[in-house]
Amino acid sequence: DLERQVRISQEYTITLPLIDRVDLKHKTIRQAEELIRKLYDADYLVNPQINVTVLEYAPRSVNVGGAVNTAGSISFPKEEGLTLLQAISRAGGFSRLANKKKVILTRMSAEGKPISYEIDADALEKGITSEPWPLQPDDVITVREKLL
């Protein structure tokens, strides 16, 4: 019985007895089970039975700041998405000084450069715009204040 609880590293690898490092990048749970089974079957065990269970997903969060009632980091699980309005709601909603028409969403591009979008959250709330703006981990939402 070689039962183990291991964490996947930032390089998407795990270390197991006898077979050492196993690269799980771009693998589903079933593919990971099959890969580990083949590695053990090759030199160490006869007909190994491998079961992989996810105990906890890596934490994912976005930051919400500016004219909201409770600025800060908002966590959400991988299996649940999070939209722009949901994140603002979890941050206590818009403050009374919020300019709902000028909400800035900043995220990193694949090249590692920040990209900013100006979003009319007022139109989103009223159903005028249908794009829900699903969020990605580490997005930053800034709600600007109204000019008086």
Side-chain angles (χ1 to χ4, degrees):
D1 184 16
L2 297 173
E3 183 175 329
R4 296 284 185 272
Q5 285 188 11
V6 295
R7 288 193 180 273
I8 297 178
S9 72
Q10 290 184 345
E11 294 81 32
Y12 304 100
T13 63
I14 58 172
T15 303
L16 294 171
L18 304 174
I19 57 174
D20 203 32
R21 287 180 68 150
V22 180
D23 184 6
L24 299 178
K25 189 170 189 172
H26 303 298
K27 301 274 191 282
T28 66
I29 291 174
R30 298 298 158 242
Q31 290 169 333
E33 288 175 341
E34 184 59 23
L35 174 62
I36 295 166
R37 188 194 67 72
K38 284 180 182 178
L39 291 170
Y40 274 120
D41 194 35
D43 293 321
Y44 301 103
L45 303 173
V46 177
N47 194 24
Q49 302 300 307
I50 306 297
N51 294 309
V52 174
T53 305
V54 177
L55 298 176
E56 177 184 29
Y57 287 101
R60 298 164 26 121
S61 64
V62 297
N63 291 305
V64 182
V68 292
N69 290 313
T70 312
S73 181
I74 307 294
S75 296
F76 63 103
K78 182 174 184 167
E79 58 275 8
E80 287 179 24
L82 187 68
T83 65
L84 179 88
L85 289 180
Q86 289 171 332
I88 292 170
S89 176
R90 289 186 187 182
F94 293 105
S95 74
R96 61 183 183 81
L97 297 176
N99 183 350
K100 295 181 183 182
K101 294 183 183 293
K102 294 195 181 208
V103 175
I104 306 300
L105 170 63
T106 305
R107 64 175 43 142
M108 290 296 177
S109 69
E111 296 81 31
K113 295 182 180 176
I115 301 172
S116 293
Y117 305 91
E118 187 172 280
I119 301 164
D120 185 348
D122 192 44
L124 277 174
E125 280 186 322
K126 293 176 180 172
I128 297 169
T129 306
S130 61
E131 173 63 40
W133 288 95
L135 300 177
Q136 299 172 5
D138 302 321
D139 280 353
V140 177
I141 300 164
T142 306
V143 179
R144 295 209 171 140
E145 289 186 354
K146 293 178 190 173
L147 296 175
L148 300 177

